Amino acid sequence: MSDIVLHNYYRSSTSYRVRIALEMKGLTYDYVPHHLRHGEHLEPAYLAVNPQGLVPALIWKGMLLTQSLAIIEFIDEAQPEPPLLPKDALGRARVRMLAQMIACDIHPVNNLRVLTSLRTVFGAGDQDVTNWFRHWVNEGFQPLEKILASSAEAGTFCHGDTPGLADICLAAQVTNNARFGVDMTPYPTIARINAACMALPAFQKAAPQNQIDAE
């Protein structure tokens, strides 16, 4: 058993974020899948590991860490090279801002438990759920596109010419968008940055379709 264990689900975008970070750092880890649609994350065995019953959960030398952004920042501190955040305070704040526009404003209202509640509590149909998902992506991507397109700090990636935390969140969200047919035409800068990310081995290796539990 490795000192690093990742409890995750191949299609979870938050899990994808952490997998990218681990791959970028060249860290080996044990992959433990939990099928969210089958409710495996709510079984007693997993709740004993992570009482919140969410993925991802990282076990680092016996200690539990949850919440993808917190996990990634810890990984970045524990394994500093290559860095996922800029060295300057203003740059770090900008990258966190971009990452949180996705991770805090788009993802939480579009994750599986929210979409499931739309169906079970409010009787939403498939098209209703798809429209909901697309609406909140567009609400977040419209300002994100403007910021990235007009910022001198943006380069090949969200901040300069090396990938980091913001790119990890961006790529995972774009991958998730594809399942719901989000039109990326209005977001050429986001699409360009995503293409640059997906050309990198770490992003490819961590991609949902390349995981052991992919369906």
Side-chain angles (χ1 to χ4, degrees), residues 25-187:
K25 297 293 187 176
L27 294 169
T28 59
Y29 61 96
D30 288 331
Y31 185 111
V32 181
H34 301 275
H35 201 301
L36 301 189
R37 292 187 177 276
H38 295 169
E40 293 177 2
H41 58 302
L42 300 177
E43 293 179 355
Y46 183 58
L47 291 175
V49 174
N50 177 14
Q52 198 174 14
L54 299 175
V55 294
L58 187 76
I59 308 299
W60 184 283
K61 299 181 180 179
M63 177 160 301
L64 169 69
L65 296 172
T66 67
Q67 301 299 324
S68 64
L69 295 188
I71 293 171
I72 293 169
E73 290 216 30
F74 166 76
I75 292 170
D76 197 37
E77 293 178 7
Q79 183 80 14
E81 296 296 330
L84 302 179
L85 288 164
K87 292 183 178 180
D88 63 295
L90 191 57
R92 289 195 300 275
R94 179 179 179 275
V95 167
R96 289 185 176 115
M97 171 190 77
L98 298 172
Q100 290 173 23
M101 287 178 70
I102 298 168
C104 300
D105 290 340
I106 298 175
H107 174 263
V109 293
N110 277 344
N111 67 18
L112 179 61
R113 60 181 178 170
V114 170
L115 300 184
T116 298
S117 291
L118 290 176
R119 298 177 189 277
T120 59
V121 178
F122 300 103
D126 289 345
Q127 191 59 53
D128 297 320
V129 171
T130 295
N131 290 342
W132 170 280
F133 187 98
R134 292 174 180 173
H135 170 78
W136 291 113
V137 168
N138 289 324
E139 284 289 303
F141 267 23
Q142 288 169 9
L144 181 63
E145 173 70 22
K146 290 179 181 178
I147 290 171
L148 291 172
S150 64
S151 173
E153 287 77 19
T156 304
F157 299 99
C158 289
H159 193 83
D161 294 323
T162 56
L165 176 63
D167 306 285
I168 288 171
C169 292
L170 182 148
Q173 183 62 52
V174 172
T175 296
N176 211 20
N177 290 355
R179 293 174 39 229
F180 291 86
V182 173
D183 180 12
M184 291 295 294
T185 305
Y187 313 118

